[in-house]
Amino acid sequence: MSDPWSYAGKRCIVVGCYSGIGEATARELVRLGAEVHGLDLKESPVALASFTPCDLRDTAQIDAALDGIEGHVDTLFYCAGLPQTFPAIEILQVNFLSARYLVERLRPKLRQGSAIAIIASTAGNGYPERMPLIREAIATPDYEAGLAWGRQHLDGQGDPYMFAKEIVIVWGLLQAQTLIKQGIRLNLLSPGPTISGMTKDFEAVSSAAMIDVFTAPIDRRAAAAEQAYPLIFLNSDAASYVNGLNLVADGGFTSGVMLGTIDVPALLTQVTG
């Protein structure tokens, strides 16, 4: 019987392998025996089977990168993202449109039994409140239509990072219902505050103290590896019956808010004075 926890011999793509959760994911996959192919703007420090520079805001570069990976693919880890220090339309591109495009483009290489894991965020927890608008974004038929929709609708939606994460969560959960019919699982991971290459960007937009409000009740930020491990589990054979899940890895914050044990407005008031 094969080891359900093993990645030995599996062909994996890690998008966003240069730093943070993506780098930690690629590093652990290599340790587990996987053949890892990386895509990112900057080359990963991990010794990968292959690396292709790729700007995810350019579909031609995505096409070229995927064309350069011959043969089948067992797992896709989409770990790329842009924070609020980038233009809103670029945040929508990388955090949603490019993820959707890449999954659609990669589908012919994915065999039955393969799996996809996408990093979302607890910043997208508010998706139920904007479901009609989110479904509009998801209904756009292709990348260019999605860009056009974003240019028309991003103004007035508040934090573009939060909005893009809301969209990718809903899209991912819906896509999982379709892909599983082809034997392909899709799940998402929503991390809480995590130490990564984007930490300085998040703190530039907000503040360290404000971000730390969302670390309750564990009262610390996650290390990148602490998010990589559950992400790797989602794509493993050990999770063969796990599909259409948005796994929240935030130290208990979301459940605390839901159960009323964490008073976010009160904590924010303490920070802002």
Side-chain angles (χ1 to χ4, degrees):
M1 182 179 178
S2 62
D3 182 355
W5 303 98
S6 176
Y7 271 83
K10 288 199 172 187
R11 306 187 78 231
C12 309
I13 295 178
V14 178
V15 182
C17 57
Y18 168 69
S19 65
I21 300 172
E23 185 270 341
T25 297
R27 188 174 299 281
E28 181 64 9
L29 286 170
V30 169
R31 191 188 72 81
L32 292 171
E35 177 187 317
V36 183
H37 302 269
L39 279 65
D40 208 325
L41 272 174
K42 298 180 180 180
E43 186 164 1
S44 176
V46 181
L48 305 175
S50 77
F51 172 78
T52 306
C54 182
D55 187 336
L56 293 168
R57 295 164 292 188
D58 184 348
T59 56
Q61 291 193 38
I62 296 174
D63 289 340
L66 295 182
D67 287 343
I69 301 172
E70 298 181 355
H72 75 275
V73 174
D74 294 301
T75 62
L76 168 67
F77 296 84
Y78 192 91
C79 304
L82 288 182
Q84 301 95 324
T85 49
F86 285 79
I89 193 64
E90 294 183 16
I91 295 171
L92 180 69
Q93 282 182 274
V94 175
N95 294 358
F96 165 57
L97 292 174
S98 297
R100 180 177 70 171
Y101 182 85
L102 199 148
V103 168
E104 291 173 348
R105 182 70 171 71
L106 187 64
R107 191 179 302 181
K109 293 179 181 285
L110 295 171
R111 303 186 297 180
Q112 185 166 352
S114 58
I116 299 166
I118 298 172
I119 293 183
S121 173
T122 52
N125 279 356
Y127 69 85
E129 300 173 11
R130 291 199 275 198
M131 192 66 77
L133 190 61
I134 290 170
R135 283 185 173 270
E136 276 189 31
I138 293 170
T140 55
D142 53 38
Y143 200 96
E144 291 304 318
L147 278 177
W149 185 92
R151 293 187 179 103
Q152 293 173 358
H153 292 87
L154 285 177
D155 286 348
Q157 298 308 318
D159 188 313
Y161 179 83
M162 294 174 63
F163 189 39
K165 291 299 186 181
E166 290 170 5
I167 297 172
V168 80
I169 289 172
V170 177
W171 170 80
L173 297 179
L174 289 170
Q175 191 71 10
Q177 306 301 309
T178 300
L179 287 176
I180 197 61
K181 302 299 184 183
Q182 303 168 30
I184 302 168
R185 296 184 300 107
L186 189 153
N187 295 287
L188 304 106
L189 178 76
S190 281
T194 300
I195 300 167
S196 74
M198 294 197 294
T199 296
K200 64 182 185 305
D201 297 277
F202 291 133
E203 292 183 351
V205 172
S206 181
S207 69
M210 188 72 73
I211 292 169
D212 285 341
V213 165
F214 299 92
T215 65
I218 200 168
D219 294 331
R220 68 173 178 84
R221 301 186 194 187
E226 291 179 294
Q227 301 295 345
Y229 299 147
L231 192 71
I232 290 169
F233 162 72
L234 288 174
N235 271 356
S236 73
D237 292 340
S240 59
Y241 203 70
V242 180
N243 181 59
L245 173 68
N246 178 33
L247 176 59
V248 177
D250 67 352
F253 176 81
T254 297
S255 58
V257 172
M258 291 173 60
L259 295 171
T261 62
I262 296 175
D263 187 342
V264 178
L267 291 174
L268 292 174
T269 299
Q270 291 178 19
V271 171
T272 60

